[in-house]
PDB file of all heavy atoms in Angstrom:
ATOM      1  N   LEU A  55     -54.228 -27.132 -10.633  1.00 93.00           N
ATOM      2  CA  LEU A  55     -54.690 -28.350 -11.338  1.00 93.00           C
ATOM      3  C   LEU A  55     -55.072 -28.049 -12.720  1.00 93.00           C
ATOM      4  O   LEU A  55     -55.139 -28.868 -13.602  1.00 93.00           O
ATOM      5  CB  LEU A  55     -55.803 -28.996 -10.505  1.00 93.00           C
ATOM      6  CG  LEU A  55     -55.485 -29.639  -9.173  1.00 93.00           C
ATOM      7  CD1 LEU A  55     -56.593 -30.390  -8.638  1.00 93.00           C
ATOM      8  CD2 LEU A  55     -54.224 -30.459  -9.255  1.00 93.00           C
ATOM      9  N   GLN A  57     -54.628 -24.657 -15.688  1.00 94.00           N
ATOM     10  CA  GLN A  57     -53.929 -23.405 -15.897  1.00 94.00           C
ATOM     11  C   GLN A  57     -54.879 -22.409 -16.587  1.00 94.00           C
ATOM     12  O   GLN A  57     -55.639 -22.733 -17.395  1.00 94.00           O
ATOM     13  CB  GLN A  57     -52.730 -23.685 -16.824  1.00 94.00           C
ATOM     14  CG  GLN A  57     -51.574 -24.403 -16.051  1.00 94.00           C
ATOM     15  CD  GLN A  57     -50.883 -25.509 -16.864  1.00 94.00           C
ATOM     16  OE1 GLN A  57     -51.044 -25.540 -18.080  1.00 94.00           O
ATOM     17  NE2 GLN A  57     -50.231 -26.338 -16.174  1.00 94.00           N
ATOM     18  N   GLU A  74     -42.762 -27.118  -5.342  1.00 88.00           N
ATOM     19  CA  GLU A  74     -42.105 -27.558  -4.135  1.00 88.00           C
ATOM     20  C   GLU A  74     -42.327 -26.560  -2.982  1.00 88.00           C
ATOM     21  O   GLU A  74     -42.364 -26.925  -1.819  1.00 88.00           O
ATOM     22  CB  GLU A  74     -40.597 -27.713  -4.341  1.00 88.00           C
ATOM     23  CG  GLU A  74     -40.277 -29.045  -5.132  1.00 88.00           C
ATOM     24  CD  GLU A  74     -38.836 -29.024  -5.639  1.00 88.00           C
ATOM     25  OE1 GLU A  74     -38.323 -27.955  -5.918  1.00 88.00           O
ATOM     26  OE2 GLU A  74     -38.301 -30.116  -5.774  1.00 88.00           O
ATOM     27  N   SER A  88     -62.678 -39.688  -4.857  1.00 90.00           N
ATOM     28  CA  SER A  88     -61.941 -40.792  -5.319  1.00 90.00           C
ATOM     29  C   SER A  88     -60.659 -40.945  -4.477  1.00 90.00           C
ATOM     30  O   SER A  88     -60.122 -39.997  -3.956  1.00 90.00           O
ATOM     31  CB  SER A  88     -61.581 -40.616  -6.779  1.00 90.00           C
ATOM     32  OG  SER A  88     -60.832 -39.468  -6.942  1.00 90.00           O
ATOM     33  N   HIS A 154     -50.609 -29.457   7.914  1.00 94.00           N
ATOM     34  CA  HIS A 154     -50.688 -28.135   8.463  1.00 94.00           C
ATOM     35  C   HIS A 154     -50.572 -27.050   7.380  1.00 94.00           C
ATOM     36  O   HIS A 154     -49.651 -26.199   7.520  1.00 94.00           O
ATOM     37  CB  HIS A 154     -49.725 -27.858   9.601  1.00 94.00           C
ATOM     38  CG  HIS A 154     -49.848 -28.766  10.732  1.00 94.00           C
ATOM     39  ND1 HIS A 154     -49.243 -28.543  11.948  1.00 94.00           N
ATOM     40  CD2 HIS A 154     -50.622 -29.872  10.958  1.00 94.00           C
ATOM     41  CE1 HIS A 154     -49.532 -29.499  12.753  1.00 94.00           C
ATOM     42  NE2 HIS A 154     -50.374 -30.305  12.193  1.00 94.00           N
TER      43      HIS A 154
ATOM     44  N   LYS B   7     -49.481 -25.438  13.537  1.00 48.00           N
ATOM     45  CA  LYS B   7     -48.095 -24.996  13.298  1.00 48.00           C
ATOM     46  C   LYS B   7     -47.677 -25.521  11.996  1.00 48.00           C
ATOM     47  O   LYS B   7     -47.726 -26.746  11.775  1.00 48.00           O
ATOM     48  CB  LYS B   7     -47.207 -25.527  14.413  1.00 48.00           C
ATOM     49  CG  LYS B   7     -45.792 -25.016  14.294  1.00 48.00           C
ATOM     50  CD  LYS B   7     -45.059 -25.159  15.719  1.00 48.00           C
ATOM     51  CE  LYS B   7     -43.744 -25.808  15.573  1.00 48.00           C
ATOM     52  NZ  LYS B   7     -43.834 -27.315  15.666  1.00 48.00           N
ATOM     53  N   TRP B  22     -35.387 -34.652  -3.463  1.00 90.00           N
ATOM     54  CA  TRP B  22     -35.820 -35.414  -4.620  1.00 90.00           C
ATOM     55  C   TRP B  22     -35.666 -36.867  -4.445  1.00 90.00           C
ATOM     56  O   TRP B  22     -36.524 -37.663  -4.716  1.00 90.00           O
ATOM     57  CB  TRP B  22     -34.993 -34.954  -5.837  1.00 90.00           C
ATOM     58  CG  TRP B  22     -35.297 -33.547  -6.244  1.00 90.00           C
ATOM     59  CD1 TRP B  22     -36.367 -32.821  -5.888  1.00 90.00           C
ATOM     60  CD2 TRP B  22     -34.482 -32.691  -7.043  1.00 90.00           C
ATOM     61  NE1 TRP B  22     -36.287 -31.562  -6.407  1.00 90.00           N
ATOM     62  CE2 TRP B  22     -35.140 -31.456  -7.185  1.00 90.00           C
ATOM     63  CE3 TRP B  22     -33.228 -32.866  -7.697  1.00 90.00           C
ATOM     64  CZ2 TRP B  22     -34.634 -30.407  -7.886  1.00 90.00           C
ATOM     65  CZ3 TRP B  22     -32.741 -31.793  -8.427  1.00 90.00           C
ATOM     66  CH2 TRP B  22     -33.412 -30.542  -8.525  1.00 90.00           C
ATOM     67  N   LYS B 110     -58.947 -41.555 -11.082  1.00 91.00           N
ATOM     68  CA  LYS B 110     -59.166 -40.179 -10.538  1.00 91.00           C
ATOM     69  C   LYS B 110     -58.362 -40.006  -9.271  1.00 91.00           C
ATOM     70  O   LYS B 110     -58.816 -39.476  -8.250  1.00 91.00           O
ATOM     71  CB  LYS B 110     -60.640 -39.899 -10.255  1.00 91.00           C
ATOM     72  CG  LYS B 110     -61.415 -40.139 -11.525  1.00 91.00           C
ATOM     73  CD  LYS B 110     -62.852 -39.823 -11.430  1.00 91.00           C
ATOM     74  CE  LYS B 110     -63.378 -39.985 -12.821  1.00 91.00           C
ATOM     75  NZ  LYS B 110     -64.844 -39.997 -12.988  1.00 91.00           N
ATOM     76  N   GLU B 283     -53.336 -30.874 -17.305  1.00 90.00           N
ATOM     77  CA  GLU B 283     -54.353 -30.400 -16.396  1.00 90.00           C
ATOM     78  C   GLU B 283     -55.199 -31.551 -15.928  1.00 90.00           C
ATOM     79  O   GLU B 283     -55.384 -32.586 -16.575  1.00 90.00           O
ATOM     80  CB  GLU B 283     -55.265 -29.423 -17.116  1.00 90.00           C
ATOM     81  CG  GLU B 283     -54.452 -28.186 -17.546  1.00 90.00           C
ATOM     82  CD  GLU B 283     -55.441 -27.075 -17.987  1.00 90.00           C
ATOM     83  OE1 GLU B 283     -56.619 -27.371 -18.378  1.00 90.00           O
ATOM     84  OE2 GLU B 283     -55.005 -25.909 -17.978  1.00 90.00           O
TER      85      GLU B 283
END
Side-chain angles (χ1 to χ4, degrees):
Chain A
L55 293 188
Q57 284 139 20
E74 284 165 331
S88 59
H154 296 191
Chain B
K7 186 160 128 272
W22 294 341
K110 304 184 176 167
E283 299 190 336

